[in-house]
Amino acid sequence: MITNDFVPGSPCWLDLGTPDVRGAVAFYSAVFGWDYESMGEDMEGGMFRKDGKIVAGLGKLTEEGARSAWMIYYCVTDADATTESVRSAGGTVRVAPMDLDDWGRMAQYNDPSGGQFAVWQPGTNKGVELVDQPGSLSWTELYTSDAAAAKEFYGGVFGWQFGDMELPGGGGTYSLITPAGLPEERMHGGLMEVREQDLALANGRPYWHPVFAVADCDAAVAAVTGNGGSVQMGPEDAEGVGRLALCVDPSNADFVVLTPAQG
């Protein structure tokens, strides 16, 4: 589960980079019931809210050649020290540590295989205000063609603990992620090894995506497809997890919707 006490190494923020801000506002408002608060008259960026609470950010995609995607930020106590850890572990810096007024300090990286992620050193802004509830972030997930290398890198940078489980039907191994020093019930994400050809969305590179909780997975999928998105997998039931689907928005940014299992 994801909580909003935002211990170091846990997901605390996410934002969507898209070439079509207005289209994204219309799509995600329809799928999740989000409200949008623009940061300026040009509609180039702002915040999504659910029931008045911030659940995600949104911005115009300006990086040449970049794909539309969700960026997940992990909480750190020192973004500059984390940047050195990323470099030492073989990652690269996409955006050097920078202050966003007094809100906090951020940086963005590529892992050694090209997977993109970011960190947030909180200032006055600790992170998203709603998690683990319908219409908000409930899990984070990495698809990679080299799970062992990913665990070595991210474990070194964040101190994450990993617990492996075998997927039913010979589906492979899924590695559960828990922040350093916390019990398993505080796990916040997972990573899964897939074939390189299964990483076509990111041109063969690993990629992170968010999992959003929803009250009704099938209704959420109908809203996705009814508003210009598509479904890559599901809806299907995962024992002990819930009912889920891997979706893509109209600009090709991927995310998962999940109705958690009861009990």
Side-chain angles (χ1 to χ4, degrees):
M1 63 181 294
I2 291 178
T3 65
N4 58 5
D5 59 357
F6 303 137
V7 298
S10 65
C12 63
W13 182 258
L14 69 164
D15 54 38
L16 175 67
T18 179
D20 182 5
V21 170
R22 291 181 184 275
V25 169
F27 175 80
Y28 288 98
S29 297
V31 172
F32 296 123
W34 289 349
D35 297 311
Y36 180 63
E37 178 183 333
S38 177
M39 300 296 284
E41 294 181 2
D42 56 8
M43 277 280 289
E44 293 295 290
M47 308 289 184
F48 282 119
R49 292 181 181 268
K50 175 74 172 178
D51 300 328
K53 297 181 178 180
I54 296 173
V55 290
L58 175 66
K60 180 80 170 180
L61 187 65
T62 57
E63 184 179 349
E64 188 173 348
R67 77 177 185 99
S68 180
W70 284 96
M71 179 71 73
I72 298 171
Y73 294 71
Y74 294 94
C75 182
V76 296
T77 57
D78 187 332
D80 295 86
T82 301
T83 298
E84 291 310 308
S85 295
V86 167
R87 288 194 176 109
S88 297
T92 55
V93 179
R94 298 181 64 249
V95 178
M98 59 182 290
D99 292 323
L100 297 181
D101 295 325
D102 60 349
W103 290 359
R105 191 164 174 81
M106 60 82 71
Q108 295 183 357
Y109 314 106
N110 287 347
D111 69 25
S113 298
Q116 297 182 357
F117 68 105
V119 298
W120 179 251
Q121 178 186 328
T124 58
N125 187 327
K126 305 302 181 186
V128 292
E129 298 172 345
L130 185 69
V131 293
D132 211 37
Q133 298 294 322
S136 68
L137 182 69
S138 65
W139 194 252
T140 64
E141 199 165 58
L142 174 68
Y143 286 174
T144 177
S145 57
D146 192 340
K151 286 194 281 189
E152 181 178 0
F153 172 78
Y154 289 102
V157 170
F158 293 120
W160 286 345
Q161 306 165 117
F162 298 97
D164 292 345
M165 60 176 285
E166 295 302 315
L167 297 174
T173 301
Y174 192 87
S175 297
L176 300 162
I177 302 169
T178 305
L182 293 186
E184 285 187 356
E185 56 262 29
R186 288 297 303 274
M187 63 182 63
H188 64 249
L191 65 86
M192 183 175 176
E193 184 166 301
V194 298
R195 301 171 303 172
E196 192 166 325
Q197 56 262 45
D198 296 326
L199 300 172
L201 273 176
N203 297 316
R205 296 189 304 273
Y207 57 89
W208 288 94
H209 56 217
V211 178
F212 296 111
V214 292
D216 185 331
C217 179
D218 293 79
V221 166
V224 167
T225 57
N227 287 277
S230 60
V231 179
Q232 289 200 319
M233 181 198 75
E236 62 183 41
D237 295 315
E239 185 178 355
V241 176
R243 188 162 177 81
L244 55 86
L246 174 58
C247 305
V248 177
D249 74 15
S251 293
N252 225 27
D254 55 298
F255 62 97
V256 173
V257 292
L258 167 68
T259 301
Q262 298 300 309

